Amino acid sequence: MLGLRRAGSLQIRPVGPFDLGRLARLHRRCFAEPWSRADLAHLLAMPGSFGLVARLYEGGLAGLDALRGVGFAIARVVRDESELLSLGVAPPWRRRRVGSALLLAAMERARAAGAGVMFLEVAVDNQSAQDLYAAHGFERVGLRPDYYQRADGSRIGAFTMRCELDRLPQRPLPATAAPGLDGPRPISS
Ligand SMILES: CC(C)(COP(=O)(O)OP(=O)(O)OC[C@H]1O[C@@H](n2cnc3c(N)ncnc32)[C@H](O)[C@@H]1OP(=O)(O)O)[C@@H](O)C(=O)NCCC(=O)NCCS
């Protein structure tokens, strides 16, 4: 019921065929080495892959054109294991639990598809993402030296992190993030 949706509420739903442009724009806002629409299409076409997009309802008549894409997650399930391939939240919307809601939704969906564990790689200098993952049960299980290549050609290592999905509390996919998503966060740093 679009007319009853509360401004500031967050919707997380699977990426559809018309979301590739939105996904590419969001990825570009989150990473210095952006993935193209073709890269994303290729990734999402791999067996077991899925994408989620977080959209914020900003008010408006019947909700039309009032859903702003604020974040995304891409993951892949292969048999009983899954991998988080990418997660990003556009800068004005960070620290509002959008990343947490996307991560939890990806974990739920992977578990529903039969995965008992989720792995991910995170750059060794990306402390904010490491904190987010640790807060949701991920533990460091390895180090991959020179894993990522940066836009300037330099290389940086990545930690591999792992989380048992069986320990997730049984609950439906989160449809709403924490309260307080009522406007973009000013970028101060
Ligand atoms: C990492 C990222 C997805 C987090 O999204 P987010 O919506 O801001 O995350 P949340 O609001 O759900 O944060 C949950 C917790 O993660 C940790 N965290 C997130 N961002 C943080 C930051 N900048 N500094 C310190 N801790 C941070 C905190 O523990 C936070 O809880 P708190 O706000 O109660 O302290 C976002 O910063 C981002 O898109 N970064 C650029 C892309 C990226 O690095 N993706 C991950 C690649 S592996």
Side-chain angles (χ1 to χ4, degrees):
M1 290 244 283
L2 283 174
L4 294 181
R5 193 154 35 193
R6 193 173 59 83
S9 64
L10 194 75
Q11 179 193 79
I12 294 181
R13 63 166 177 76
V15 167
F18 301 112
D19 287 322
L20 279 182
R22 172 183 283 129
L23 204 55
R25 281 193 298 279
L26 278 170
H27 195 280
R28 200 180 315 126
R29 294 182 73 186
C30 294
F31 293 96
E33 302 82 27
W35 292 349
S36 67
R37 283 173 68 130
D39 294 335
L40 290 162
H42 177 74
L43 213 55
L44 290 167
M46 291 191 310
S49 291
F50 65 88
L52 299 172
V53 64
R55 299 191 310 165
L56 188 65
Y57 175 59
E58 297 188 300
L61 191 62
L64 289 175
D65 298 319
L67 284 163
R68 177 192 292 269
V70 295
F72 69 94
I74 301 174
R76 185 176 186 203
V77 177
V78 178
R79 291 184 290 276
D80 57 351
E81 293 189 353
S82 61
E83 184 181 9
L84 186 72
L85 300 171
S86 193
L87 173 75
V89 176
W93 307 100
R94 290 181 186 162
R95 299 307 286 270
R96 308 287 187 94
R97 302 261 183 262
V98 176
S100 295
L102 280 162
L103 177 60
L104 285 169
M107 292 162 78
E108 288 283 358
R109 192 173 164 125
R111 183 173 65 174
V117 65
M118 180 172 272
F119 290 93
L120 59 84
E121 262 83 38
V122 55
V124 293
D125 64 351
N126 192 347
Q127 192 60 51
S128 53
Q130 289 169 39
D131 289 350
L132 167 69
Y133 298 135
H136 293 286
F138 282 82
E139 293 171 343
R140 279 189 208 169
V141 292
L143 171 65
R144 295 180 173 223
D146 298 332
Y147 186 73
Y148 293 112
Q149 180 159 18
R150 294 265 153 94
D152 65 1
S154 64
R155 302 202 73 93
I156 182 137
F159 293 121
T160 300
M161 300 185 82
R162 175 186 196 278
C163 181
E164 296 280 343
L165 299 180
D166 300 337
R167 290 194 211 137
L168 276 181
Q170 293 283 346
R171 60 189 195 89
L173 290 183
T176 307
L181 276 166
D182 47 6
R185 186 187 187 87
I187 305 172
S188 54
S189 56

